[in-house]
Amino acid sequence: MENSTGLDQLLRNTDLFRPLPDDILVIVAKALTPRTLAAKEVLFQQGQPGEELILVQTGSVAIYTPQADDPAAGQAIRIFQPGQVLGEMALIDQKPRSLSARAEEPSTILALGGKVFRSLIQEHPEMAIAVMSGLNERIRYTTDFLGEVSVWVQRVAGGSYQTDEIIGQSNQLKDATLANLAAEFAQMASKVQKREEELKKQVAELRIEVDQAKRDQEVKQITSSDSFQSIREKARLMRQQKEANDKE
Amino acid sequence: MSKIISIHSFRGGTGKSNTTANLATLAAMQGLRVGIVDTDIQSPGIHVLFGLETDDIGNSLNDYLWGKCTIKEAAHDVTSRVSPGIPGKIYLIPSSIKAGEIARVIHEGYDAGLLNEGFSDLLEELKLDLLLIDTHPGINEETLLSLAISDILLVIMRPDKQDFQGTSVTVDVALKLGVPSLMMLVNKIPLQLDLNNLKQEIERTFNAEVVAMIPHCDELMSLASEDIFAVRYPDHAVTAELKKVIQKMLA
Ligand SMILES: Nc1ncnc2c1ncn2[C@@H]1O[C@H](COP(=O)(O)OP(=O)(O)O)[C@@H](O)[C@H]1O
Ligand SMILES: [Mg+2]
């Protein structure tokens, strides 16, 4: 059973299970149900009751907000890599799934039933603490995530669409979710930029049209009157006067 | 040498009063002595920018034109209202904001010659470096005389179809009056417009120099004439553009 050493290794590398003693890990390993998922296959749907915890073994699984018209599509909120656990929240608070989950590529996962999970927590307080620190980490992650998003939003709101920079950054981002978000954001920014530029082009061609004949006629009408001539003359005298005053 | 500068536009609401108040302030910040006359007697407005209310206005331009006071007695020193510590001076000769007095001027008209004498008196008695005239929009006789005696005429226009035809006539008439220097300021430019292109288009159409291109500015609009923009936003691009105008005028 070469698989079981691999599984043992995987559990040892999982924050949630690491604190458990060896004999318990063996029990956990036996309680896990393996499943394979095709790319884009939905693992669970938002609103369903959550009855198991998922450990990613290979590939990657995303939790996401499902689109109304296509429940398998939607912006990924977070992507889970091998060794990471998702879905434990619904097991703790017994509430329906707050988001949907799908495989981002062909993946294998291991599911742990709610009953086993809860009895493990009861019997091994170290594991309860590991669950808590996992939740803690999630809160920190959310804060960082929002911080990053707000920087980009501010940039776009300020009219600077450095999509190259965002894309470059997304290549460096270790976190798959942020990288994914950055890519989508860069795409959005470049769409907005394109639209704005098109708008600019349209209006930039403002032509100033003046009816030249009418202009000349009105000017002539004003300037040929007697009063215009007298104003002109008065102004000339006043300017002379002022020049003389300025010299004094 | 003192300079008389008329700020005019063919239509109302183009930003004459705001521009006048800001130019005056920027000049006073450089230590100049500046006078402002609100000759938009029918729809006075610039007093608002300096925070003057009915009770703050003693003698007005109307009183001078009706022979009730000298023009110097209608001059209000508003320097400290703008900002403490300005090295120069700003004197405002406001138009009356009392409905009855506005109606009387509209009904009876006024002696434009007397108004222009008033300008000379102000230059001399208040030792002004600059006298800015916030004019009534359009082309009428009283306004024409103010334009005619100006050393510089600043014509304000928005990039708006309503402004083009009338502004072209105004500019031509002013040149025929012998105004020594005519400058154009384009105001409230929609942000999407290409500025270089617009400037060329305007200079080509009106045959006059465009000295400033001022975009539509949300901060300016939100100020709602409650304060002088250049004081509130000293580092804003609009303030920088207005400073260039003052430099050109003083050159
Ligand atoms: N560049 C600008 N951007 C936005 N609003 C402006 C701008 N210039 C002037 N305004 C606003 O336009 C209105 C009319 O300005 P005002 O100076 O009173 O014009 P006028 O004296 O020509 O009638 C005011 O509410 C002012 O705040
Ligand atoms: Mg006005």
Side-chain angles (χ1 to χ4, degrees), chain B residues 9 12-18 187-188 214-217 220-221 224-225:
Chain B
S9 65
T14 51
K16 284 185 301 298
S17 297
N18 271 273
N187 195 20
K188 301 193 184 183
I214 299 188
H216 168 88
C217 169
L220 209 162
M221 204 162 88
S225 303

Side-chain angles (χ1 to χ4, degrees), chain B residues 50-68:
Chain B
F50 294 105
L52 288 185
E53 303 191 8
T54 318
D55 291 345
D56 303 319
I57 298 178
N59 288 316
S60 65
L61 182 66
N62 305 50
D63 295 314
Y64 165 70
L65 293 171
W66 294 327
K68 292 187 187 164

Side-chain angles (χ1 to χ4, degrees), chain B residues 5-9 19 23 152-156 181-185 211 245 249:
Chain B
I5 300 168
S6 281
I7 292 89
H8 184 67
S9 65
T19 305
L23 291 176
I152 299 171
L153 169 60
L154 181 69
V155 175
I156 301 185
S181 166
L182 191 148
M183 304 177 174
M184 288 185 79
L185 181 151
V211 291
V245 176
M249 288 176 162

Side-chain angles (χ1 to χ4, degrees), chain A residues 200 203-204 206-208 210-211 214-215 218-219 222-223 227-228 231-232 235 238-239 242 245-246, chain B residues 1-2 116 123 141 148-149 151 164-165 168-169 172 176-178 192-193 197-198 201-202 204-205:
Chain A
K200 251 188 212 162
V203 201
L206 176 99
R207 289 228 9 123
I208 299 180
V210 164
D211 180 338
K214 198 170 150 217
R215 172 183 185 176
E218 280 177 27
V219 171
I222 296 169
T223 56
S227 65
F228 184 86
I231 287 172
R232 206 186 133 95
M238 289 182 74
R239 212 175 279 131
K242 180 166 164 282
N245 286 350
D246 280 336
Chain B
M1 195 196 93
S2 60
N116 288 303
L123 286 175
E141 269 189 34
I149 57 133
D151 300 293
F164 299 153
Q165 188 76 28
S168 73
V169 175
D172 288 0
K176 292 235 156 107
L177 274 176
Q192 316 88 291
L193 282 193
N197 179 76
L198 181 65
E201 185 78 359
I202 290 177
R204 178 185 67 76
T205 310

